[in-house]
Amino acid sequence: MLDLTTEIAGPYCGKLLADAGADVVKLEPPGGDPLRHWRSGALHAFLNASKRLTQEHDDPVDIVVTNDPADVGSRSAPVVVTITPFGCDGPWVGRAATEFTLQAWAGSTGSRGYPDGSPIAVGGRLGEWAAGTYAGVATIAALRAAR
């Protein structure tokens, strides 16, 4: 599997598959993954502990996981998993999303907080961890179907 992702969702998907026995290669962008430089770098270390980290990879793979829709056509693999806030096409394809805005759009902030105060989001970027979990399961199903 080739992991081209950054942030939490994609790397967590790759971690779950690596921990389950997949050979996962993390292809880091020039300058390294931005999570390397976030706080102590411990989150990067956790999400990539079972992977082979590199900045070059041309060998064939069965699975590509990316969070950049542009990678979909540029990588050849039986299974390509794309994890983005708004999909790979449509009017919001390049739009950024934060954990708070995604929770607000889903309606989950409306019932938290005080009636006369601002809405409150759940902490910990839970949506990204959940997306990574679902992507891991979907990846296994897609690989099985491809085979």
Side-chain angles (χ1 to χ4, degrees), residues 5-7 11 15 26 28 32-38 40-51 53:
T5 62
T6 58
E7 297 300 325
K15 177 186 178 30
K26 167 78 173 193
E28 294 195 66
D33 187 323
L35 275 184
R36 280 186 180 275
H37 313 293
W38 190 69
S40 68
L43 183 56
H44 177 270
F46 168 74
L47 290 171
N48 296 292
S50 303
K51 302 174 189 177
L53 306 178

Side-chain angles (χ1 to χ4, degrees), residues 17 33 67 93 112 121 128 135:
L17 297 172
D33 187 323
N67 52 9
V93 68
R112 287 193 298 273
E128 291 186 59

Side-chain angles (χ1 to χ4, degrees), residues 11-22 47 51 129 132-134 136-137:
Y12 188 56
C13 169
K15 177 186 178 30
L16 293 174
L17 297 172
D19 289 349
L47 290 171
K51 302 174 189 177
W129 295 100
T133 303
Y134 286 119
V137 172

